[in-house]
Amino acid sequence: MSYKPLYSMSAERALIGSVLMDTTVLDAEAADITADDFYAQAHRAVWAAIKQLQAERQPVDIVTLFEALGIEGVERIGGMDVLGGFTSATPSAANAAGYVAVVKRWSALRRISAGCRDTIASIETDPGVDPTAVVLGLTKQMDAVSGSFVSKRCARVGDRLKGWYERFLAKADGEEEPGVSCGFPDLDERLGRLGADRLIILAARPAMGKTSLAQQIATNVSRSAGAVYFASLEMSTEDLIDRQIAQETRIGVQDVARGRMRPDQMTRIIQAAKSIKDLPLYYDDDPDATISAVCARARAQHRQVEGGLKLVVVDYLQLLGADPGHSSEDFDVISAASRRLKLLAKELSCPVLCLAQLNRKLESRQDKRPTLADLRGSGRIEEDADQVLFVYRDEYYNADSDQQGLASVITGKNRHGGTGEVTLRFRAPCVRFESLAKEDDR
């Protein structure tokens, strides 16, 4: 009887090549891969060196890998030709998940095969062995294999209770507040702040100010809590900075964009530029970004900044492109993106604020205040979101509205509290939202 070798050299080489081409694979698709999952000793040595570089927060590339392995180590794996050949053997790092699945599958089969062989050998060398002991021994080995597929987040409630209680006491004593502040006290009160692991959808029709509100929240978080990654698929970084300067100075955004300034306004602009220059706010204005690209870049930024990201913003959901090889139908793309963003929030343990467009049908009805049914593209958005917020400005639709200069932020869904609405001041020329609670305190 002939036996098929339980490995795939091409998949092992492609997986290593994927990491060298795109190091975000290490924290994503290949996060659970260990050196023992590889069959080839050379590949085990290379993967161990890669994981060492990752643990030391060093860049992972051919140069650093050579240094980590050392001259003798490189010679043992077959020389520089082998080391340099990993990327050329890799069709695309975008297929990393597939390579991981193949490597993991063969690794599991090898361990199952080894366990069975050991069991057969023990029976043949000691025919008097107790069958119950044989079964228990084999079961233990198989459980160890199946355990490699069990989520590391799975834990008995009692094992997590101590950490929960310590955090609870810290909150009760005022030492720790859950989540991060969005910078609007009345909105914080409604939402319970921006909690870690949460996917928050901020939806509106065009011209309601959803990007401006998200940008102000991002600026506030970067000032008070830490780093923010802002993926803008609609506006360029230059346009976003125009708006940010307008919000900071209360100068009209059109005047800022066109450079029409009085001398006193120029002074305010210089001061505003200085105030935002060192903020840990990272704009990514790739208009063709896919959901995989956004998640990978957020992970990379999370690794690079001290303390990790405190907020991820995506503007906006329906503009995310389909990943290569996946359905490009709007429903499928939006459904997949919504789920991936929720998983990203859990993975990074930081809130994800995702903007979304509402259906045009809203414009044709008399009452234009948005509801959950107006979310455009997929019911999956509502399912995945922890909180759904709508921005509505009555003055946009009704010239004689008694809500001039005001905007309603409507909570359509809230897993962590009640629904309702918060009213904010909206200064349209400088696209700036302001908390009425702060006005009342003056």
Side-chain angles (χ1 to χ4, degrees), residues 270-334:
I270 292 172
Q271 291 173 341
K274 288 180 179 178
S275 73
I276 66 173
K277 180 174 71 73
D278 295 322
L279 291 180
L281 175 55
Y282 301 89
Y283 288 130
D284 179 359
D285 63 359
D286 180 359
D288 300 316
T290 64
I291 181 58
S292 289
V294 168
C295 290
R297 292 167 190 171
R299 291 189 194 100
Q301 203 65 51
H302 185 71
R303 289 198 314 272
Q304 292 171 13
V305 297
E306 185 176 354
L309 292 174
K310 302 304 179 185
L311 176 67
V312 172
V313 181
V314 180
D315 185 15
Y316 59 87
L317 182 63
Q318 287 89 351
L319 290 181
L320 286 167
D323 287 321
H326 290 73
S327 170
S328 59
E329 294 293 326
D330 283 351
F331 179 89
D332 295 327
V333 174
I334 293 169

Side-chain angles (χ1 to χ4, degrees), residues 139 382 439:
T139 301
E382 180 185 347
E439 291 182 3

Side-chain angles (χ1 to χ4, degrees), residues 332-344:
D332 295 327
V333 174
I334 293 169
S335 294
S338 172
R339 184 60 184 154
R340 292 279 296 277
L341 290 174
K342 173 57 183 174
L343 294 174
L344 181 70

Side-chain angles (χ1 to χ4, degrees), residues 52-126:
Q52 178 188 338
L53 289 169
Q54 182 191 29
E56 296 173 352
R57 289 186 166 272
Q58 298 296 317
V60 178
D61 55 34
I62 292 294
V63 176
T64 57
L65 198 50
F66 179 87
E67 292 296 322
L69 288 166
I71 295 175
E72 292 184 1
V74 172
E75 289 177 352
R76 280 196 296 270
I77 70 168
M80 280 301 297
D81 288 343
V82 172
L83 190 60
F86 288 118
T87 52
S88 60
T90 306
S92 170
N95 301 327
Y99 309 142
V100 166
V102 174
V103 169
K104 203 72 177 172
R105 175 177 176 271
W106 285 122
S107 173
L109 289 176
R110 285 195 303 274
R111 293 171 66 187
I112 293 169
S113 177
C116 291
R117 285 198 309 270
D118 290 345
T119 301
I120 292 171
S122 70
I123 294 172
E124 291 177 343
T125 55
D126 182 12

Side-chain angles (χ1 to χ4, degrees), residues 109-248:
L109 289 176
R110 285 195 303 274
R111 293 171 66 187
I112 293 169
S113 177
C116 291
R117 285 198 309 270
D118 290 345
T119 301
I120 292 171
S122 70
I123 294 172
E124 291 177 343
T125 55
D126 182 12
V129 68
D130 182 0
T132 302
V134 173
V135 172
L136 289 175
L138 183 58
T139 301
K140 185 176 181 180
Q141 293 185 65
M142 295 306 104
D143 285 345
V145 176
S146 63
S148 65
F149 297 98
V150 176
S151 169
K152 288 181 172 57
R153 298 180 68 94
C154 182
R156 190 171 64 91
V157 63
D159 296 334
R160 295 284 176 88
L161 198 56
K162 180 182 178 183
W164 172 87
Y165 189 60
E166 290 174 349
R167 291 191 297 274
F168 173 79
L169 289 179
K171 295 170 189 175
D173 293 339
E175 297 174 12
E176 176 188 329
E177 289 188 86
V180 295
S181 171
C182 69
F184 297 94
D186 27 14
L187 198 51
D188 278 336
E189 184 68 25
R190 169 65 60 185
L191 299 178
R193 296 160 63 97
L194 306 178
D197 297 0
R198 293 184 193 175
L199 172 60
I200 304 154
I201 299 295
L202 179 61
R205 288 295 297 154
M208 290 295 105
K210 61 182 180 294
T211 296
S212 299
L213 181 57
Q215 191 176 13
Q216 275 188 262
I217 291 173
T219 301
N220 293 339
V221 171
S222 69
R223 278 202 171 106
S224 63
V228 176
Y229 170 76
F230 194 119
S232 174
L233 289 88
E234 185 175 36
M235 291 189 182
S236 68
T237 298
E238 289 73 16
D239 288 340
L240 290 171
I241 292 176
D242 282 343
R243 285 168 167 260
Q244 197 169 4
I245 292 293
Q247 290 167 352
E248 294 284 317

